[in-house]
Amino acid sequence: QAQLVESGGASVQPGNSLTLSCTSRDFTLEYYAIGWFRQAPGKERERIACISSRDEDDIRSSSTDYAASVKGRFTISRDDEKNTVYLQMDNLAPGDTAVYYCGADVQYRGTCTTVEKFDSWGPGTQVTISS
């Protein structure tokens, strides 16, 4: 089964920044909406950011959306040459502590507003924010 792989997690102090990476050897990420999710202990997995697939005519720049809890602090982006989606996380707080996962839309060339299901989950990467 095709799978994504996350990396970049670490333990840092509040106020610091981290950049997470999501890549795959199995498929080309630009053709799929990619979502970043996180799951804290005892809580459900929540979607925090999403970037739409590259438009077939390359007219529409890949739209993005964010959960209210991270909007203005986190930025999702994609480097198609590296087949990687990034999550830049700034001004981190203890409440951001979680295992972070990326998932791919099961639909080819979908958008963040049309996605119904994410799949191809990676093993996750741990982010710990503590003083």
Side-chain angles (χ1 to χ4, degrees):
Q1 181 179 355
Q3 189 176 32
L4 298 168
V5 178
E6 306 92 344
S7 63
S11 180
V12 299
Q13 293 185 337
N16 281 354
S17 299
L18 282 175
T19 300
L20 305 183
S21 299
C22 170
T23 190
S24 177
R25 295 181 179 179
D26 300 317
F27 61 97
T28 303
L29 271 57
E30 69 178 274
Y31 297 140
Y32 298 90
I34 303 296
W36 277 102
F37 296 74
R38 67 185 181 186
Q39 188 166 18
K43 295 187 178 181
E44 293 187 356
R45 187 176 298 189
E46 64 168 330
R47 171 175 152 178
I48 56 172
C50 179
I51 186 166
S52 296
S53 64
R54 179 78 67 191
D55 182 61
E56 191 165 1
D57 298 324
D58 203 23
I59 295 175
R60 176 197 75 212
S61 60
S62 296
S63 60
T64 59
D65 67 28
Y66 301 91
S69 58
V70 305
K71 195 169 186 178
R73 299 189 299 125
F74 291 11
T75 303
I76 189 171
S77 62
R78 185 172 56 217
D79 186 333
D80 294 336
E81 290 188 0
K82 295 183 178 179
N83 199 37
T84 301
V85 171
Y86 300 100
L87 185 67
Q88 172 70 34
M89 307 187 295
D90 297 321
N91 193 22
L92 286 161
D96 296 316
T97 295
V99 179
Y100 284 69
Y101 302 88
C102 58
D105 185 5
V106 298
Q107 177 182 342
Y108 182 70
R109 291 204 183 274
T111 70
C112 295
T113 57
T114 62
V115 64
E116 294 182 354
K117 180 181 179 182
F118 287 92
D119 203 346
S120 303
W121 302 101
T125 186
Q126 176 69 48
V127 172
T128 302
I129 312 302
S130 174
S131 55

